[in-house]
Coordinates of all heavy atoms in Angstrom, one line a residue:
P1156 N 97.4 92.2 104.7 CA 97.4 91.4 105.9 C 98.3 92.0 107.0 O 99.2 92.7 106.7 CB 98.1 90.0 105.3 CG 98.9 90.5 104.2 CD 98.2 91.6 103.5
D1157 N 97.9 91.8 108.2 CA 98.6 92.2 109.3 C 99.9 91.2 109.5 O 101.0 91.7 109.9 CB 97.8 91.9 110.7 CG 96.7 92.8 110.8 OD1 96.7 94.0 110.1 OD2 95.6 92.5 111.2
E1158 N 99.7 90.0 109.2 CA 101.0 89.2 109.1 C 100.8 88.3 107.8 O 99.9 87.8 107.4 CB 100.9 88.1 110.3 CG 101.0 88.9 111.6 CD 102.5 89.5 111.7 OE1 103.5 89.0 111.2 OE2 102.5 90.4 112.5
P1159 N 102.0 88.1 107.2 CA 103.4 88.9 107.5 C 103.4 90.4 107.2 O 102.5 90.8 106.4 CB 104.4 88.2 106.6 CG 103.5 87.7 105.4 CD 102.1 87.3 106.0
H1160 N 104.0 91.0 108.1 CA 104.1 92.5 107.9 C 105.0 92.9 106.9 O 106.1 92.4 106.8 CB 104.4 93.2 109.3 CG 104.5 94.7 109.2 ND1 103.5 95.4 109.1 CD2 105.6 95.4 109.1 CE1 103.9 96.8 108.9 NE2 105.3 96.8 109.1
Y1161 N 104.7 93.9 106.0 CA 105.5 94.5 105.0 C 105.8 95.9 105.3 O 104.8 96.6 105.2 CB 105.0 94.1 103.7 CG 104.7 92.8 103.4 CD1 103.4 92.2 103.3 CD2 105.7 91.9 103.0 CE1 103.1 90.8 103.1 CE2 105.4 90.6 102.6 CZ 104.3 90.1 102.7 OH 104.0 88.8 102.4
G1162 N 107.1 96.1 105.6 CA 107.4 97.6 105.7 C 107.7 98.5 104.4 O 107.7 99.5 104.5
L1163 N 107.9 97.6 103.4 CA 108.0 98.3 102.0 C 107.1 97.5 101.2 O 107.1 96.3 101.0 CB 109.5 98.0 101.8 CG 109.8 98.5 100.3 CD1 109.8 99.9 100.0 CD2 111.4 98.0 100.0
V1164 N 106.4 98.3 100.3 CA 105.6 97.8 99.2 C 105.7 98.5 98.0 O 106.2 99.6 97.9 CB 104.1 97.9 99.7 CG1 103.8 97.0 100.8 CG2 103.7 99.3 100.0
E1165 N 105.5 97.8 96.8 CA 105.6 98.5 95.6 C 104.2 98.9 95.1 O 103.3 98.1 95.2 CB 106.2 97.6 94.5 CG 106.3 98.3 93.2 CD 106.7 97.2 92.2 OE1 106.0 96.3 91.7 OE2 107.9 97.4 91.5
V1166 N 104.1 100.1 94.6 CA 102.8 100.8 94.2 C 102.9 101.2 92.8 O 103.8 101.8 92.4 CB 102.4 101.9 95.1 CG1 101.3 102.5 94.7 CG2 102.2 101.4 96.6
S1167 N 101.9 100.8 92.1 CA 101.8 101.4 90.6 C 101.2 102.8 90.7 O 100.0 103.2 91.1 CB 100.8 100.5 89.8 OG 101.3 99.3 89.7
P1168 N 102.1 103.9 90.5 CA 101.7 105.2 90.7 C 100.6 105.7 89.8 O 99.9 106.7 90.1 CB 102.9 106.0 90.4 CG 103.7 105.2 89.5 CD 103.4 103.7 89.9
Q1169 N 100.3 105.0 88.8 CA 99.2 105.4 87.8 C 97.9 105.1 88.3 O 96.8 105.4 87.6 CB 99.5 105.0 86.3 CG 99.4 103.5 86.2 CD 100.8 102.8 86.4 OE1 101.5 103.4 87.1 NE2 100.8 101.7 85.8
L1170 N 97.8 104.2 89.3 CA 96.6 103.6 89.7 C 96.1 104.2 91.2 O 97.2 104.4 91.9 CB 96.6 102.1 89.7 CG 96.7 101.3 88.5 CD1 97.0 99.9 88.6 CD2 95.6 101.7 87.5
P1171 N 94.9 104.2 91.4 CA 94.6 104.8 92.8 C 94.9 103.8 93.8 O 94.8 102.6 93.6 CB 93.0 105.1 92.6 CG 92.6 104.1 91.6 CD 93.7 104.0 90.6
I1172 N 95.0 104.4 95.1 CA 95.3 103.5 96.3 C 94.8 104.2 97.6 O 94.9 105.4 97.5 CB 96.7 103.0 96.5 CG1 96.9 102.0 97.5 CG2 97.7 104.2 96.5 CD1 98.2 101.3 97.5
N1173 N 94.3 103.6 98.5 CA 93.9 104.2 99.7 C 95.2 104.4 100.5 O 95.9 103.5 100.9 CB 93.0 103.1 100.5 CG 92.5 103.8 101.9 OD1 93.0 104.8 102.2 ND2 91.4 103.0 102.4
E1174 N 95.4 105.7 100.8 CA 96.7 106.2 101.4 C 96.9 105.6 102.8 O 97.8 105.5 103.3 CB 96.8 107.7 101.4 CG 96.8 108.3 99.9 CD 98.2 107.9 99.4 OE1 99.2 107.8 100.1 OE2 98.3 108.0 98.1
K1175 N 95.7 105.3 103.4 CA 95.7 104.7 104.8 C 96.5 103.4 104.8 O 97.1 103.1 105.8 CB 94.3 104.5 105.4 CG 93.6 105.8 105.6 CD 92.2 105.6 106.2 CE 91.3 106.9 106.4 NZ 90.0 106.5 107.0

Side-chain angles (χ1 to χ4, degrees):
D1157 293 327
E1158 294 295 335
H1160 175 74
Y1161 299 102
L1163 174 63
V1164 295
E1165 184 189 62
V1166 172
S1167 297
Q1169 68 272 24
L1170 298 173
I1172 188 168
N1173 185 341
E1174 293 295 328
K1175 292 181 180 179

